[in-house]
Amino acid sequence: YLKISKLALAFAIIHSKPPGKSSKEYTEYLAKTVSEQDFGWKWKVEVLEAEVLRLRQELLLNRISPRFCLENRKQDTSAETLLGRESINPTSYSSQLEDSGCDVCNDSAFDSLGIASDFHQSEHNVSTSKHWLERVPPLNLCHSSKEQSLTAPVQFLQCLLEIRKLSEGGILQADFSELENDSFTICNSVSQLLDGLTVFYNSPKFPAPSFLTEGVSVLISLITDTKLSNHVLKKCFKKMEEFKKNLIQIILRNRSVNRFQALHSISQTLGLLGRNSILRNSLISLLLSEVRQFAEQLLQAHQVQSVYDITQYENIFLLCMILEQLLQNETQESNISSSDCGGEEKIKFLKNLDQIILHLSDEFPLFSLYLWRVSVLLNSGQMQ
């Protein structure tokens, strides 16, 4: 039947082709026309899907806290009455977002690896309610550019965080059990945010746009919130794992001459993600695996005197720095040994590590030193 259909289509094209055009040219023209129509339909479907998600977001917010949605649509100064003494300077907040901490001339924007001063400021601003109620515009997902599309999930998640803060302060009543009944909306919103961040980290722009910094701040606030993080991680854990893997691979594979400015920003994001205990353990396992595999490859190349990837060698130090910071945080927060960190990957990492360090220490002393420091943190339980 398929052969007969193809033959009939071929005859139809031959018979209907206009004069002056060959059958091949007319076939290519028809194929192009059909593909353009398909693209148009795909665009219409994407717009409709975005509208559906927007409506579901508004409905979910309304179910969680109807009063918030009503107050959020008022254009007068009712926010002052609702929130009383709380206040914030929107101008100072927007100026903070102008710099993501990636600019080479402003290294002070980050305190240390995994601890961003910009995050602390935005975290404070999330807790100040008047700013958000006056600031959050109506949700709109129908944007044409990738940059604008990132703002859509950020707006929704900002509203969710604000309801959480207001309910915690006793200003609003909120029922977060509704998140259990609508996993689609929260999952798609978080997925959009993570996909948008991945796109920008793959092709970074300098100075970093303010909405990128805001997106990272919202993500970190979401996973560190005691009430919301369980809902988000339970439904979006696989997506978060995929996001972490993508960031690690971006660090390892980036070969740009001026890559360190962008990679430093990614390392900060990974460090902040590691503040969550659930994400930290899996992130430590991922980093241990990558560092171990590179160390084994480097040892093999050194033994046979073959060439090794110098760019990846330079990039691996960022992973070592993140790993060391996460292990230190794990030990400090738990006040116990970090010997259980990494699980199976820890065992693989420590196996034959002394021999690897011994053979690489002369040729690669700095990398060997990092391996040793990581091993000390992993074995800290046995040293006490």
Side-chain angles (χ1 to χ4, degrees), residues 23-44:
S23 298
K24 181 179 179 181
E25 291 174 342
Y26 187 52
T27 303
E28 292 175 349
Y29 165 76
L30 292 176
K32 182 180 179 182
T33 303
V34 172
S35 64
E36 289 176 351
Q37 292 177 351
D38 288 343
F39 177 79
W41 280 110
K42 288 180 181 179
W43 180 81
K44 291 179 181 179

mmCIF file of all heavy atoms in Angstrom, residues 23-44:
data_model
loop_
_atom_site.group_PDB
_atom_site.id
_atom_site.type_symbol
_atom_site.label_atom_id
_atom_site.label_comp_id
_atom_site.label_asym_id
_atom_site.label_seq_id
_atom_site.Cartn_x
_atom_site.Cartn_y
_atom_site.Cartn_z
ATOM 1 N N SER A 23 10.197 18.077 -12.693
ATOM 2 C CA SER A 23 9.521 17.373 -11.598
ATOM 3 C C SER A 23 10.289 17.510 -10.294
ATOM 4 O O SER A 23 9.703 17.643 -9.211
ATOM 5 C CB SER A 23 9.360 15.888 -11.968
ATOM 6 O OG SER A 23 8.559 15.747 -13.128
ATOM 7 N N LYS A 24 11.617 17.488 -10.367
ATOM 8 C CA LYS A 24 12.452 17.615 -9.169
ATOM 9 C C LYS A 24 12.271 18.989 -8.528
ATOM 10 O O LYS A 24 12.116 19.113 -7.308
ATOM 11 C CB LYS A 24 13.919 17.381 -9.519
ATOM 12 C CG LYS A 24 14.849 17.481 -8.324
ATOM 13 C CD LYS A 24 16.293 17.224 -8.727
ATOM 14 C CE LYS A 24 17.226 17.345 -7.528
ATOM 15 N NZ LYS A 24 18.638 17.121 -7.910
ATOM 16 N N GLU A 25 12.312 20.049 -9.354
ATOM 17 C CA GLU A 25 12.160 21.407 -8.825
ATOM 18 C C GLU A 25 10.782 21.590 -8.189
ATOM 19 O O GLU A 25 10.655 22.203 -7.125
ATOM 20 C CB GLU A 25 12.352 22.427 -9.944
ATOM 21 C CG GLU A 25 13.785 22.501 -10.466
ATOM 22 C CD GLU A 25 13.906 23.409 -11.673
ATOM 23 O OE1 GLU A 25 12.864 23.693 -12.309
ATOM 24 O OE2 GLU A 25 15.029 23.836 -11.990
ATOM 25 N N TYR A 26 9.751 21.049 -8.845
ATOM 26 C CA TYR A 26 8.392 21.190 -8.317
ATOM 27 C C TYR A 26 8.227 20.396 -7.012
ATOM 28 O O TYR A 26 7.570 20.852 -6.071
ATOM 29 C CB TYR A 26 7.386 20.707 -9.366
ATOM 30 C CG TYR A 26 5.954 20.968 -8.985
ATOM 31 C CD1 TYR A 26 5.536 22.241 -8.604
ATOM 32 C CD2 TYR A 26 5.005 19.940 -8.996
ATOM 33 C CE1 TYR A 26 4.222 22.500 -8.259
ATOM 34 C CE2 TYR A 26 3.679 20.172 -8.645
ATOM 35 C CZ TYR A 26 3.297 21.450 -8.274
ATOM 36 O OH TYR A 26 1.998 21.704 -7.928
ATOM 37 N N THR A 27 8.870 19.245 -6.924
ATOM 38 C CA THR A 27 8.824 18.443 -5.697
ATOM 39 C C THR A 27 9.491 19.181 -4.544
ATOM 40 O O THR A 27 8.991 19.201 -3.414
ATOM 41 C CB THR A 27 9.509 17.088 -5.921
ATOM 42 O OG1 THR A 27 8.870 16.405 -7.009
ATOM 43 C CG2 THR A 27 9.442 16.227 -4.676
ATOM 44 N N GLU A 28 10.647 19.797 -4.832
ATOM 45 C CA GLU A 28 11.347 20.556 -3.801
ATOM 46 C C GLU A 28 10.516 21.748 -3.343
ATOM 47 O O GLU A 28 10.490 22.092 -2.153
ATOM 48 C CB GLU A 28 12.709 21.015 -4.322
ATOM 49 C CG GLU A 28 13.699 19.867 -4.540
ATOM 50 C CD GLU A 28 14.990 20.344 -5.174
ATOM 51 O OE1 GLU A 28 15.027 21.509 -5.632
ATOM 52 O OE2 GLU A 28 15.964 19.562 -5.206
ATOM 53 N N TYR A 29 9.824 22.389 -4.307
ATOM 54 C CA TYR A 29 8.967 23.531 -3.964
ATOM 55 C C TYR A 29 7.822 23.088 -3.050
ATOM 56 O O TYR A 29 7.516 23.742 -2.047
ATOM 57 C CB TYR A 29 8.431 24.163 -5.243
ATOM 58 C CG TYR A 29 7.273 25.097 -5.018
ATOM 59 C CD1 TYR A 29 7.480 26.373 -4.507
ATOM 60 C CD2 TYR A 29 5.965 24.694 -5.314
ATOM 61 C CE1 TYR A 29 6.404 27.227 -4.276
ATOM 62 C CE2 TYR A 29 4.894 25.538 -5.094
ATOM 63 C CZ TYR A 29 5.116 26.806 -4.574
ATOM 64 O OH TYR A 29 4.062 27.647 -4.355
ATOM 65 N N LEU A 30 7.180 21.958 -3.393
ATOM 66 C CA LEU A 30 6.088 21.453 -2.570
ATOM 67 C C LEU A 30 6.567 21.068 -1.177
ATOM 68 O O LEU A 30 5.883 21.328 -0.173
ATOM 69 C CB LEU A 30 5.443 20.243 -3.261
ATOM 70 C CG LEU A 30 4.668 20.527 -4.559
ATOM 71 C CD1 LEU A 30 4.171 19.213 -5.166
ATOM 72 C CD2 LEU A 30 3.500 21.467 -4.309
ATOM 73 N N ALA A 31 7.747 20.433 -1.115
ATOM 74 C CA ALA A 31 8.296 20.036 0.191
ATOM 75 C C ALA A 31 8.574 21.250 1.066
ATOM 76 O O ALA A 31 8.307 21.246 2.272
ATOM 77 C CB ALA A 31 9.563 19.220 -0.016
ATOM 78 N N LYS A 32 9.112 22.326 0.449
ATOM 79 C CA LYS A 32 9.396 23.544 1.204
ATOM 80 C C LYS A 32 8.110 24.185 1.708
ATOM 81 O O LYS A 32 8.032 24.648 2.853
ATOM 82 C CB LYS A 32 10.161 24.527 0.321
ATOM 83 C CG LYS A 32 10.542 25.815 1.025
ATOM 84 C CD LYS A 32 11.310 26.751 0.097
ATOM 85 C CE LYS A 32 11.665 28.047 0.820
ATOM 86 N NZ LYS A 32 12.383 28.982 -0.090
ATOM 87 N N THR A 33 7.072 24.178 0.854
ATOM 88 C CA THR A 33 5.789 24.758 1.248
ATOM 89 C C THR A 33 5.185 24.011 2.432
ATOM 90 O O THR A 33 4.694 24.607 3.411
ATOM 91 C CB THR A 33 4.811 24.729 0.070
ATOM 92 O OG1 THR A 33 5.386 25.435 -1.037
ATOM 93 C CG2 THR A 33 3.484 25.372 0.450
ATOM 94 N N VAL A 34 5.224 22.684 2.362
ATOM 95 C CA VAL A 34 4.669 21.875 3.446
ATOM 96 C C VAL A 34 5.448 22.079 4.740
ATOM 97 O O VAL A 34 4.866 22.178 5.829
ATOM 98 C CB VAL A 34 4.662 20.386 3.051
ATOM 99 C CG1 VAL A 34 4.264 19.517 4.232
ATOM 100 C CG2 VAL A 34 3.709 20.150 1.876
ATOM 101 N N SER A 35 6.785 22.153 4.642
ATOM 102 C CA SER A 35 7.598 22.335 5.842
ATOM 103 C C SER A 35 7.332 23.685 6.488
ATOM 104 O O SER A 35 7.325 23.799 7.723
ATOM 105 C CB SER A 35 9.086 22.197 5.497
ATOM 106 O OG SER A 35 9.491 23.231 4.609
ATOM 107 N N GLU A 36 7.111 24.714 5.665
ATOM 108 C CA GLU A 36 6.786 26.030 6.223
ATOM 109 C C GLU A 36 5.451 26.006 6.947
ATOM 110 O O GLU A 36 5.290 26.631 8.000
ATOM 111 C CB GLU A 36 6.774 27.079 5.105
ATOM 112 C CG GLU A 36 8.160 27.399 4.557
ATOM 113 C CD GLU A 36 8.095 28.374 3.394
ATOM 114 O OE1 GLU A 36 6.969 28.654 2.921
ATOM 115 O OE2 GLU A 36 9.159 28.853 2.965
ATOM 116 N N GLN A 37 4.491 25.280 6.375
ATOM 117 C CA GLN A 37 3.205 25.141 7.039
ATOM 118 C C GLN A 37 3.343 24.390 8.359
ATOM 119 O O GLN A 37 2.713 24.752 9.361
ATOM 120 C CB GLN A 37 2.219 24.416 6.117
ATOM 121 C CG GLN A 37 1.814 25.224 4.889
ATOM 122 C CD GLN A 37 0.905 24.442 3.965
ATOM 123 O OE1 GLN A 37 0.701 23.240 4.160
ATOM 124 N NE2 GLN A 37 0.357 25.114 2.956
ATOM 125 N N ASP A 38 4.198 23.356 8.374
ATOM 126 C CA ASP A 38 4.439 22.607 9.618
ATOM 127 C C ASP A 38 5.057 23.503 10.675
ATOM 128 O O ASP A 38 4.699 23.426 11.857
ATOM 129 C CB ASP A 38 5.356 21.410 9.343
ATOM 130 C CG ASP A 38 4.643 20.313 8.562
ATOM 131 O OD1 ASP A 38 3.406 20.331 8.528
ATOM 132 O OD2 ASP A 38 5.335 19.445 7.988
ATOM 133 N N PHE A 39 6.008 24.361 10.245
ATOM 134 C CA PHE A 39 6.652 25.269 11.192
ATOM 135 C C PHE A 39 5.629 26.228 11.783
ATOM 136 O O PHE A 39 5.652 26.529 12.987
ATOM 137 C CB PHE A 39 7.771 26.045 10.497
ATOM 138 C CG PHE A 39 8.449 27.049 11.382
ATOM 139 C CD1 PHE A 39 9.396 26.654 12.309
ATOM 140 C CD2 PHE A 39 8.110 28.399 11.299
ATOM 141 C CE1 PHE A 39 10.021 27.586 13.130
ATOM 142 C CE2 PHE A 39 8.719 29.326 12.117
ATOM 143 C CZ PHE A 39 9.681 28.915 13.030
ATOM 144 N N GLY A 40 4.731 26.719 10.935
ATOM 145 C CA GLY A 40 3.697 27.617 11.426
ATOM 146 C C GLY A 40 2.796 26.953 12.440
ATOM 147 O O GLY A 40 2.452 27.541 13.469
ATOM 148 N N TRP A 41 2.414 25.711 12.175
ATOM 149 C CA TRP A 41 1.579 24.979 13.118
ATOM 150 C C TRP A 41 2.318 24.716 14.413
ATOM 151 O O TRP A 41 1.747 24.798 15.503
ATOM 152 C CB TRP A 41 1.120 23.658 12.501
ATOM 153 C CG TRP A 41 -0.035 23.819 11.569
ATOM 154 C CD1 TRP A 41 -0.038 23.684 10.220
ATOM 155 C CD2 TRP A 41 -1.372 24.182 11.926
ATOM 156 N NE1 TRP A 41 -1.280 23.930 9.702
ATOM 157 C CE2 TRP A 41 -2.128 24.230 10.741
ATOM 158 C CE3 TRP A 41 -2.012 24.460 13.136
ATOM 159 C CZ2 TRP A 41 -3.482 24.558 10.715
ATOM 160 C CZ3 TRP A 41 -3.367 24.780 13.128
ATOM 161 C CH2 TRP A 41 -4.078 24.821 11.925
ATOM 162 N N LYS A 42 3.623 24.381 14.309
ATOM 163 C CA LYS A 42 4.407 24.128 15.518
ATOM 164 C C LYS A 42 4.475 25.378 16.379
ATOM 165 O O LYS A 42 4.372 25.312 17.604
ATOM 166 C CB LYS A 42 5.820 23.666 15.137
ATOM 167 C CG LYS A 42 5.873 22.259 14.565
ATOM 168 C CD LYS A 42 7.310 21.871 14.216
ATOM 169 C CE LYS A 42 7.367 20.470 13.630
ATOM 170 N NZ LYS A 42 8.754 20.085 13.253
ATOM 171 N N TRP A 43 4.650 26.536 15.714
ATOM 172 C CA TRP A 43 4.720 27.789 16.469
ATOM 173 C C TRP A 43 3.397 28.064 17.164
ATOM 174 O O TRP A 43 3.363 28.480 18.329
ATOM 175 C CB TRP A 43 5.073 28.932 15.521
ATOM 176 C CG TRP A 43 5.174 30.254 16.218
ATOM 177 C CD1 TRP A 43 6.230 30.749 16.939
ATOM 178 C CD2 TRP A 43 4.149 31.249 16.296
ATOM 179 N NE1 TRP A 43 5.926 31.979 17.454
ATOM 180 C CE2 TRP A 43 4.663 32.318 17.068
ATOM 181 C CE3 TRP A 43 2.859 31.333 15.778
ATOM 182 C CZ2 TRP A 43 3.917 33.461 17.330
ATOM 183 C CZ3 TRP A 43 2.119 32.484 16.044
ATOM 184 C CH2 TRP A 43 2.643 33.529 16.810
ATOM 185 N N LYS A 44 2.287 27.832 16.453
ATOM 186 C CA LYS A 44 0.969 28.036 17.045
ATOM 187 C C LYS A 44 0.747 27.096 18.227
ATOM 188 O O LYS A 44 0.184 27.489 19.258
ATOM 189 C CB LYS A 44 -0.114 27.821 15.995
ATOM 190 C CG LYS A 44 -0.153 28.898 14.916
ATOM 191 C CD LYS A 44 -1.237 28.610 13.896
ATOM 192 C CE LYS A 44 -1.254 29.672 12.789
ATOM 193 N NZ LYS A 44 -2.281 29.390 11.774
#
